Amino acid sequence: MRYFQKSDVCASVVQGIRKWWSALPPNKKELVKEAARRNKWKIVLGLCSFGIIFITFYFTHLEETPITGRPRLLVFGKEHFAELSQMEYNMWVEECKNKMLPETHTLYQVIEKVVRLLTESNKDVPQIAEFNWTIHVVEDPSINAFVLPNGQIFVFTGLLGAVSDVNQLSFILGHEIAHAVLGHAAEKASLTHFLDFLSVIILTMIWAACPRDSLAILGQWIQSRFQELLFDRPYNRTLEAEADRVGLQLTAKACMDVRASSVFWQQMELFETIQGHPRVPEWLSTHPSHENRIKHLDRLIPEVS
């Protein structure tokens, strides 16, 4: 449920209740108030029961993240999320169909070799063996690569110009494979689903408490920004750090030089400085800053070497 859809639902519900209340004659209003006073404990009990159901739902849908063992909320089944992954895959194929490099291309073969090395060296990891890894190399200057939840690997040729050697490429692909292996996409979708439901309750309370619609709109904007800055973005940074950790482990098992991981991010930091790219504070970003990422990787390297 998107932000404006949520706010529209909440606004419609509360405005409907306001209109209904305004249309009631004074004697009916008093009867409603009296009924509410008589049944206040039933109302409190109902709200508490709803809260207990909400909390129970959360804790009964907690699972351990593969490899790391971190507890996380997961409400989507594999079959349901597989359908969503296929839709996303079809979208990317349609968007990039005229820019795909053939399997005979040198760059494709380089990436295929690295992916094969990573997956075969880590085939003892059950989640690695579950996937049918498929490679798509897109001729595009973007410095980007990602792996869809169904094992479809997309690498943009711009990334190959940004890495210095196969060790750096191995770490980047290991990081992206780690996202798929850890099920981060399903986890984020599950949490978004859960928070959307919670947000509807909070936004309804905001609209109900504010006497004017303008104040309610301001209140819901503040609530949205607080959720984004205090929860959504830090949570995404946590997932990125976890993918760095697992990606480093996958790369080390492939007998690649894991020290190249922090060197790559040093290069990216230097490149962005030279290009004059504005530095976004980490707390405003969904990814760790280059500086903190380098420090994190440097702490992890001795553990996997």
Side-chain angles (χ1 to χ4, degrees):
M1 188 183 293
R2 298 272 65 86
Y3 176 75
F4 286 110
Q5 290 176 323
K6 288 186 290 184
S7 60
D8 288 346
V9 168
C10 299
S12 298
V13 169
V14 174
Q15 287 172 348
I17 293 172
R18 285 177 183 170
K19 287 179 181 178
W20 169 78
W21 182 255
S22 299
L24 282 179
N27 62 319
K28 290 286 183 69
K29 288 182 180 180
E30 287 303 319
L31 288 173
V32 172
K33 289 178 182 178
E34 179 60 31
R37 282 193 290 268
R38 285 200 314 270
N39 297 285
K40 62 180 179 181
W41 291 115
K42 290 181 181 179
I43 295 171
V44 170
L45 181 61
L47 292 173
C48 290
S49 300
F50 181 79
I52 290 169
I53 292 170
F54 198 72
I55 293 169
T56 302
F57 176 86
Y58 177 83
F59 283 104
T60 54
H61 286 79
L62 286 180
E63 294 186 9
E64 279 195 356
T65 305
I67 304 175
T68 64
R70 175 180 55 84
R72 47 103 178 262
L73 179 71
L74 207 60
V75 299
F76 288 106
K78 286 186 177 180
E79 296 78 12
H80 178 70
F81 203 72
E83 295 177 12
L84 298 177
S85 300
Q86 187 62 38
M87 290 171 59
E88 186 178 6
Y89 167 69
N90 293 338
M91 181 195 73
W92 277 107
V93 168
E94 180 64 25
E95 184 175 331
C96 303
K97 63 182 179 181
N98 296 323
K99 299 187 287 184
M100 296 286 192
L101 295 185
E103 294 181 10
T104 54
H105 198 284
T106 305
L107 295 179
Y108 184 100
Q109 292 174 354
V110 168
I111 294 166
E112 183 183 38
K113 182 179 179 181
V114 171
V115 170
R116 187 167 61 248
L117 181 62
L118 286 167
T119 54
E120 289 183 0
S121 301
N122 291 277
K123 59 186 177 183
D124 59 313
V125 179
Q127 291 75 22
I128 292 282
E130 288 177 5
F131 284 91
N132 179 25
W133 304 102
T134 307
I135 301 164
H136 308 274
V137 181
V138 183
E139 191 170 13
D140 188 283
S142 304
I143 302 175
N144 192 23
F146 58 87
V147 179
L148 296 179
N150 57 2
Q152 301 289 337
I153 301 170
F154 286 78
V155 182
F156 293 73
T157 53
L159 175 65
L160 299 173
V163 297
S164 298
D165 55 34
V166 72
N167 295 296
Q168 292 184 4
L169 179 61
S170 297
F171 167 70
I172 297 301
L173 294 180
H175 170 92
E176 298 303 331
I177 288 172
H179 276 305
V181 168
L182 296 167
H184 282 170
E187 179 180 347
K188 286 197 283 189
S190 297
L191 192 64
T192 299
H193 187 71
F194 183 79
L195 289 176
D196 277 346
F197 188 71
L198 185 61
S199 294
V200 167
I201 298 170
I202 295 172
L203 289 175
T204 301
M205 292 172 64
I206 290 172
W207 276 88
C210 294
R212 288 185 293 180
D213 288 354
S214 58
L215 290 176
I217 292 170
L218 176 63
Q220 73 181 39
W221 182 85
I222 292 171
Q223 179 270 335
S224 175
R225 295 288 81 77
F226 265 96
Q227 178 182 320
E228 183 180 1
L229 295 176
L230 299 181
F231 187 83
D232 293 348
R233 297 195 180 195
Y235 190 79
N236 274 305
R237 293 196 294 270
T238 297
L239 298 185
E240 287 297 320
E242 185 176 55
D244 275 347
R245 174 183 289 274
V246 174
L248 210 60
Q249 293 171 0
L250 301 178
T251 307
K253 286 177 69 176
C255 297
M256 306 303 289
D257 188 351
V258 292
R259 294 174 297 180
S261 58
S262 64
V263 174
F264 171 77
W265 288 111
Q266 289 172 31
Q267 290 173 190
M268 289 301 296
E269 186 174 37
L270 179 61
F271 171 77
E272 291 181 3
T273 301
I274 292 172
Q275 292 291 317
H277 293 173
R279 285 198 176 187
V280 178
E282 186 178 80
W283 60 277
L284 284 175
S285 176
T286 57
H287 287 60
S289 66
H290 293 332
E291 181 183 358
N292 286 338
R293 200 164 207 166
I294 292 163
K295 290 177 181 177
H296 181 236
L297 289 167
D298 283 339
R299 286 195 301 268
L300 294 174
I301 287 170
E303 298 177 14
V304 299
S305 299

